[in-house]
Amino acid sequence: MTTLPTQAELAALALETARRCGVDTDALAGDVTTTSPINGLPVTSLAWQGAAEVDAAVARAQEAFLAWRRVPAPGRGALVKRFGELLAEHRDDLATLVSIEAGKITSEARGEIQEMIDICDFAVGLSRQLYGRTMPSERPGHRLMETWHPLGVVGVVSAFNFPAAVWSWNTAVALVCGDPVVWKPSELTPLTSLACHAVLQRAIAEQGAPAGLSQVLLGGPEAGEALVGHPGVALLSATGSTRMGRAVGPRVAERFGRSLLELGGNNAAVVAPSADLDLTVRGIVFSAAGTAGQRCTTMRRVIAHRSVADELTDRLASAYDRLPIGNPMAAGTLVGPLVNRRAYDAMTSAVEQALADGGTLVAGGGRALADLAPEAYYARPAIVRLEKQSDVVTRETFAPLLYVLPYDDFREAIDLNNAVPQGLSSSVFTSDVAEAELFLSAEGSDCGIVNVNIGTSGAEIGGAFGGEKETGGGRESGSDAWRAYMRRATNTVNFSGELPLAQGVDFTV
């Protein structure tokens, strides 16, 4: 039988866990109450910070930057190495806080903390690989090259669904690039944020680095708006909705700052006639129902060849019927709660609209566990079968709602994949090499992440993460995403003793 922790049990666990991570929980009293999606009840009360605190934080970060940029990159990597070691020590504690505040099942919460450890490993190696190029000069006795330098203060605005990992993607890379970070986390996950910050502050103290390298600001829209508009923030990395991005992007551009925007996703999998359906079903179910559908990379559309659409739909419906829904901290649970009532209402509205557009509900839908937790919102992951991609399908619904659509021709499937405003993640399930290569080509998926025979979610830190179109166009994490956190200088060195001009220009006086 499913049971949920009481308010007192969950609040006590959250505070004790945060304390073990180094948070001064005795100083947390405030007038803003946060709740847990597990039972919908209060966890703690905190004080919110506003624009004045943002100004002070950016000033402290700028002071730290002036010292930190002089530290050789491998020395900066030593701090990140220690941070990764401390994250490993507190892996279970941080995962517990992620579960309490974001509602993630235990294995996914631990996976998020492992992702933090992994990006630290990546960044440590990166600290010795911040390469510039040497290019041939057209002028004799000259050397042409580029160098990369620390950029400045990095502001991070993160969302509830990855309350720790997204911050770490930015922070680990920013620190080895020579930049301090000011973090405005989601209002829904403050204890997770404070605990992550405390762990990094311990590493900073142990390494003798400037304390202002890492700061966290708990606050509402006022704090976020102040950080976005602050002229002292060289790079603003924001994760959230496309609506948020429309406000953030122009504000940063207006002051000639840089921005990394990780916004909405409306991700699809194309399922070809040659697909291994056993593998396909497993890949779809995790991508669509994992994290209760609350990932930006969640699969929201399945575009299946008409010859396999019926069988695939039946298999998915059967798998959905077996998904254990309940306390995300309990063993065996695969689907935890939605973050709040607004998320559940949005899912309900989207299902109703899809049915009005001619769709058929083939699995799930509706609320679960309402008798156990009337203030929490557990939803049964839903599948709606449609004959065409209606307007509701082109909108992102941040919940476990999956649409199944048929196709006849592979290029038609590609067109359906691309016929949404978002462009984050996509996948194709096929055994046909030509189809796989076409999907990966310039004529194929227009997304930033394009997979073959795996789902749309679960990206590794080694690759650059991000999307196109209304997803924002930013790239974080691996590959060469580090370049966003540095400034490039092109250098010409003349050792010839002469002064020839480029392009053969003659300016002899």
Side-chain angles (χ1 to χ4, degrees):
M1 179 181 175
T2 298
T3 59
L4 298 175
T6 66
Q7 178 184 357
E9 290 170 340
L10 210 54
L13 176 61
L15 291 175
E16 177 56 32
T17 304
R19 192 176 297 117
R20 286 198 297 269
C21 292
V23 177
D24 181 5
T25 55
D26 293 333
L28 292 183
D31 57 1
V32 178
T33 299
T34 63
T35 62
S36 171
I38 294 176
N39 55 19
L41 300 174
V43 172
T44 189
S45 295
L46 306 99
W48 256 203
Q49 295 163 297
E53 287 83 3
V54 172
D55 285 339
V58 173
R60 287 190 296 268
Q62 179 62 27
E63 183 180 355
F65 171 66
L66 298 178
W68 191 240
R69 66 181 179 178
R70 297 197 298 267
V71 177
R76 302 192 295 250
L79 167 60
V80 176
K81 180 179 180 180
R82 182 56 182 150
F83 179 41
E85 291 169 349
L86 293 175
L87 287 173
E89 289 182 22
H90 291 283
R91 183 191 341 249
D92 289 346
D93 287 333
L94 292 171
T96 295
L97 291 172
V98 170
S99 290
I100 291 172
E101 293 194 312
K104 285 190 176 181
I105 64 172
T106 298
S107 66
E108 289 195 65
R110 287 176 176 162
E112 177 164 353
I113 309 308
Q114 183 61 50
E115 193 168 348
M116 301 176 75
I117 297 166
D118 292 346
I119 195 63
C120 287
D121 286 346
F122 177 88
V124 171
L126 180 65
S127 69
R128 294 181 182 272
Q129 299 178 73
L130 300 173
Y131 299 136
R133 295 184 178 92
T134 298
M135 292 77 74
S137 174
E138 67 186 60
R139 290 169 283 185
H142 286 60
R143 179 158 62 92
L144 185 62
M145 63 182 182
E146 66 181 21
T147 50
W148 291 84
H149 304 291
L151 178 64
V153 177
V154 174
V156 176
V157 177
S158 61
F160 80 90
N161 59 329
F162 278 87
V166 170
W167 167 73
S168 72
W169 291 356
N170 286 277
T171 298
V173 175
L175 287 174
V176 300
C177 288
D179 306 327
V181 175
V182 179
W183 181 23
K184 194 285 181 189
S186 167
E187 299 95 312
L188 303 178
T189 56
L191 288 178
T192 301
S193 310
L194 290 172
C196 290
H197 172 69
V199 172
L200 178 52
Q201 282 298 121
R202 177 180 163 189
I204 287 171
E206 290 179 2
Q207 295 295 310
L213 286 178
S214 173
Q215 294 175 79
V216 62
L217 296 162
L218 301 183
E222 180 188 3
E225 290 168 7
L227 188 63
V228 168
H230 202 292
V233 175
L235 171 67
L236 193 287
S237 176
T239 302
S241 67
T242 297
R243 179 183 58 81
M244 180 205 73
R246 291 190 194 282
V248 169
R251 184 83 185 278
V252 177
E254 184 180 34
R255 60 177 180 82
F256 296 102
R258 295 190 194 178
S259 61
L260 280 175
L261 300 178
E262 301 289 357
L263 309 175
N266 193 353
N267 316 295
V270 173
V271 182
S274 62
D276 177 338
L277 290 188
D278 290 336
L279 181 148
T280 300
V281 168
R282 293 198 303 273
I284 290 172
V285 172
F286 170 68
S287 291
T291 326
Q294 297 172 118
R295 293 188 182 213
C296 53
T297 54
T298 290
M299 189 182 299
R300 312 202 182 278
R301 298 174 294 144
V302 170
I303 302 164
H305 191 270
R306 202 172 295 276
S307 65
V308 298
D310 289 344
E311 181 182 356
L312 177 63
T313 302
D314 290 344
R315 288 196 186 200
L316 289 172
S318 176
Y320 270 45
D321 286 343
R322 300 192 303 273
L323 286 173
I325 303 170
N327 179 2
M329 303 176 73
T333 298
L334 293 181
V335 179
L338 291 172
V339 68
N340 53 31
R341 177 175 180 171
R342 185 171 62 180
Y344 177 76
D345 288 346
M347 177 180 174
T348 300
S349 176
V351 170
E352 291 173 351
Q353 184 60 58
L355 299 184
D357 290 344
T360 302
L361 183 67
V362 296
R367 194 171 168 190
L369 309 182
D371 54 335
L372 286 178
E375 303 299 324
Y377 289 86
Y378 292 80
R380 295 183 177 87
I383 301 173
V384 175
R385 177 77 181 267
L386 286 157
E387 285 304 308
K388 61 181 181 179
Q389 190 156 271
S390 64
D391 180 65
V392 69
V393 179
T394 66
R395 301 195 300 265
E396 179 186 37
T397 300
F398 216 61
L401 172 56
L402 181 67
Y403 304 107
V404 179
L405 304 141
Y407 79 89
D408 295 298
D409 175 77
F410 191 72
R411 288 186 181 272
E412 175 195 357
I414 292 174
D415 290 343
L416 283 169
N417 176 80
N418 297 346
V420 294
Q422 311 84 0
L424 179 52
S425 187
S426 58
S427 64
V428 61
F429 290 90
T430 183
S431 298
D432 186 316
V433 174
E435 288 181 334
E437 291 293 341
L438 179 59
F439 196 71
L440 295 170
S441 76
E443 300 176 60
S445 171
D446 63 2
C447 295
I449 299 170
V450 187
N451 298 329
V452 177
N453 290 329
I454 63 170
T456 56
S457 61
E460 300 179 30
I461 58 91
F465 181 91
E468 302 298 327
K469 301 189 296 188
E470 289 189 0
T471 299
R475 293 296 185 273
E476 295 173 325
S477 192
S479 186
D480 65 350
W482 61 271
R483 294 175 182 237
Y485 303 83
M486 304 195 81
R487 61 178 179 88
R488 183 200 320 241
T490 300
N491 315 126
T492 304
V493 179
N494 178 6
F495 57 93
S496 70
E498 305 293 334
L499 196 63
L501 300 178
Q503 294 87 45
V505 173
D506 184 3
F507 200 80
T508 302
V509 178

